[in-house]
Amino acid sequence: LSFDSIMPLLQLTTNVEDSKLPGDLLSQLTNLVAEQLGKPAKYVQVVVNNNAKIAFAGDAKTPTALVEISSIGRISPEENKKYAKAFSSYLETELGIPPSRIFLNFHNINGENWGMGGSTFEGLV
């Protein structure tokens, strides 16, 4: 394995209710992360926390979201602009969340700070 092919994580926190989420949301997000970051879907982890108590500008009723994308590599200022556009567009289309109510955080994680299978990915980066 090379660091270029492993460990993207997407965490989505939103106040959107279950009934308004696509039934295959996890699969859709997995594929979107894999496509955008250029990493195999088999290494993508997606966590969705919906029905969250989350407010944007004091408003907790209008749909809003926090998206956190962590990866070993493939995080940079230029790539992040592309990701912000793609994920905001997806959330607007599929969940009805206006891009102006979406915060996105991008985290480039060093291999020694990411573990799986009882070890870390130290030395791969």
Side-chain angles (χ1 to χ4, degrees):
L1 286 179
S2 75
F3 75 90
D4 279 338
S5 68
I6 56 175
M7 302 297 99
L9 164 67
L10 179 137
Q11 296 180 86
L12 169 64
T13 304
T14 182
N15 58 352
V16 174
E17 300 171 9
D18 281 334
S19 63
K20 296 183 180 175
L21 298 179
D24 61 346
L25 177 64
L26 294 172
S27 177
Q28 287 184 27
L29 288 172
T30 296
N31 291 332
L32 184 59
V33 170
E35 174 187 305
Q36 289 298 310
L37 275 71
K39 297 192 176 199
K42 69 181 182 177
Y43 293 114
V44 174
Q45 186 174 52
V46 172
V47 178
V48 175
N49 297 304
N50 66 307
N51 289 325
K53 294 186 184 307
I54 181 173
F56 189 95
D59 176 3
K61 293 182 180 180
T62 305
T64 187
L66 169 63
V67 178
E68 297 186 76
I69 299 173
S70 303
S71 179
I72 298 175
R74 306 279 172 93
I75 301 291
S76 72
E78 287 306 311
E79 290 170 312
N80 295 349
K81 290 176 189 175
K82 178 184 88 159
Y83 304 151
K85 184 176 182 177
F87 288 98
S88 293
S89 176
Y90 172 84
L91 292 175
E92 181 177 33
T93 301
E94 297 297 326
L95 276 64
I97 304 172
S100 62
R101 293 184 55 83
I102 301 169
F103 273 175
L104 299 105
N105 292 320
F106 306 98
H107 308 282
N108 191 12
I109 309 295
N110 292 325
E112 66 269 15
N113 295 323
W114 203 306
M116 183 178 128
S119 187
T120 68
F121 292 97
E122 183 175 15
L124 291 179
V125 180

